[in-house]
Amino acid sequence: MSPDASPDPYDDPVRFGQRVQIYRNRRGMTREQLAGLLGHHESWVKKVESGKLKVPRLPELFRIAEALRVRHLNDLVGEIGGEPEIGLFTGPGHARLPAVRAAIDAFPFTADREAPSTAYLRAALDAAWAARHQSPNHREVLGDLLPGLIRDAQLAVRQADTGAERRTAQALLSEVYSLTQFFVAYQPDAALLWRVAERGMVAAQESEDLHAIGIAAWLSAQAHRDSGPGHFDAADAVTTEALRLLEPGLEEAPLKVRAIVGALTFEAGYTAARRMESGTAWGWWDRADRIAQRLPADYFHPVTSFGRAVMGAHGVTVAVELRNGSESSRQADRAEAGAIRSRPRRARHRIEQARAYYLDGQYVTALATLEQAHEAAPETVRYNGYARRIVLEEAEARSPERRQRASRLALDIGMLAA
């Protein structure tokens, strides 16, 4: 090669330790913070990043990937022998994703039909939310419904005759985007997720509907937080601003607005737990629980699942994110999954319980709990990175029984070919 030619970037591949350092910096983490999440001393992280330690074994790699929110293991270790990428926190692309993406991306400037009434759209949305909560494979259901719902809601906004009609249609469109975000989440198209979240927020603000704004803020805060520690401030900002708007006059507000305030309050605690701020996290949980206790005993918010029944599940999540093994398992033991009416949310709770038991060293119980999650909603387990990580780690366990059980789960949730 000529000395004047551009060098091949693959002639000097980036080492594992350099990749860890790059992702840590991108997430805004110090070495001390990463070490704390992994249960190591800061000097261990320094040795990994400098190359003084070899690439860790698979279980440790999964823990590093989880802490850094790296979605593909190959992004940490590079391409290994030409093997395909191993996704961690991104699930498989659903067969209906292209159709949903096409509906989101389309902006027809003319219409060859009349928009459905807002009453029809409201009934269709209610039915879609109910179908999502009742289905063991909610993306399959939503993938069929969303293209039509998106087009109908967009059409209703364009054909609104008055300001009031347009605001009502915008609130419905925002809620359609919220429903879409549940379908798009954890699929391999992060840019699409952000388009949906941002359009939902814009439509909600245009509607001036407090409930729609609260839902959009709730989902936006989650999207920011799931992007890593560097985005935690943005998650807090969205949550704080939404609470400032919604909390005045809360006692006289409709049930659904009070519930979304409770859900947002817990989100603040969830982010604090991800920051490892124990007192702050549990303080927000307590505030959310007080709101939940003032709701009817059987109340269930149709979007966030917020209500009394979900607070136990939220307690498990806080303890797990704080990496407190004994407290995590204590919360998991006391949280009643059966009271959660939504099948996907119940499965998500079971996964959080499994994380709690795994953190506490109760590996067999963790696998049994993942089996319960799979029974409630197989698709939720299939798209959940934490569940897949536990299954992959247990597939290498010393115990033959644990390996076999994990291998069966891997087949059941589609991680391996049967």
Side-chain angles (χ1 to χ4, degrees), residues 93-396:
H94 195 277
R96 296 291 292 168
L97 180 61
V100 174
R101 183 192 295 116
I104 293 167
D105 290 344
F107 282 102
F109 295 102
T110 60
D112 56 1
R113 63 187 175 91
E114 184 178 350
S117 69
T118 53
Y120 171 88
L121 279 174
R122 178 70 269 163
L125 258 174
D126 290 342
W129 283 118
R132 178 194 177 262
H133 290 303
Q134 293 164 8
S135 173
N137 296 299
H138 74 272
R139 285 181 179 82
E140 191 68 28
V141 173
L142 294 184
D144 288 333
L145 297 175
L146 282 171
L149 270 174
I150 292 167
R151 295 187 185 101
D152 284 348
Q154 290 174 339
L155 198 60
V157 171
R158 289 201 303 274
Q159 294 184 5
D161 291 327
T162 68
E165 289 175 353
R166 184 177 178 81
R167 286 191 294 274
T168 299
Q170 289 280 25
L172 290 166
L173 176 60
S174 176
E175 193 171 328
V176 169
Y177 282 135
S178 296
L179 185 64
T180 305
Q181 196 164 335
F182 280 94
F183 174 85
V184 175
Y186 305 113
Q187 295 208 54
D189 195 337
L192 182 65
L193 174 68
W194 278 108
R195 284 205 299 282
V196 170
E198 289 169 359
R199 289 183 191 175
M201 179 61 80
V202 170
Q205 290 177 316
E206 290 290 326
S207 76
E208 301 179 6
D209 182 286
L210 294 181
H211 184 243
I213 292 171
I215 292 173
W218 181 74
L219 286 166
S220 179
Q222 292 184 14
H224 281 295
R225 185 180 59 240
D226 287 347
S227 297
H231 300 267
F232 287 175
D233 286 347
D236 282 337
V238 171
T239 304
T240 300
E241 284 300 308
L243 288 174
R244 283 178 59 189
L245 174 67
L246 298 174
E247 283 183 327
L250 185 61
E251 293 303 321
E252 292 75 34
L255 276 178
K256 63 181 183 179
V257 174
R258 282 186 271 160
I260 199 65
V261 168
L264 282 162
T265 301
F266 170 70
E267 287 305 310
Y270 194 166
T271 305
R274 290 286 296 276
R275 292 182 189 273
M276 304 298 289
E277 297 171 352
S278 179
T280 303
W282 286 114
W284 281 111
W285 184 94
D286 285 337
R287 287 178 60 179
D289 189 53
R290 287 195 292 272
I291 295 171
Q293 297 307 318
R294 291 196 292 270
L295 298 174
D298 61 347
Y299 181 81
F300 168 82
H301 188 266
V303 178
T304 67
S305 298
F306 189 81
R308 296 188 193 181
V310 83
M311 288 311 300
H314 285 335
V316 177
T317 296
V318 169
V320 167
E321 293 297 343
L322 291 171
R323 301 296 194 274
N324 188 327
S326 59
E327 178 62 18
S328 296
S329 61
R330 188 181 75 84
Q331 292 285 344
D333 287 341
R334 64 185 291 193
E336 177 51 54
I340 300 175
R341 287 160 49 183
S342 168
R343 290 186 69 157
R345 185 63 185 85
R346 189 160 64 248
R348 166 71 190 280
H349 170 48
R350 289 296 193 195
I351 293 168
E352 294 293 277
Q353 285 181 309
R355 291 179 67 198
Y357 293 130
Y358 206 77
L359 190 63
D360 197 38
Q362 300 182 45
Y363 305 121
V364 174
T365 305
L367 284 172
T369 307
L370 282 183
E371 290 167 350
Q372 291 176 314
H374 183 262
E375 182 179 350
E379 192 180 70
T380 300
V381 183
R382 190 176 307 128
Y383 281 81
N384 188 282
Y386 297 117
R388 294 202 305 277
R389 195 205 77 184
I390 291 173
V391 169
L392 286 171
E393 287 196 23
E394 284 299 280
E396 291 197 343

Side-chain angles (χ1 to χ4, degrees), residues 1-11:
M1 183 176 71
S2 165
D4 296 326
S6 299
D8 184 345
Y10 296 102
D11 283 347

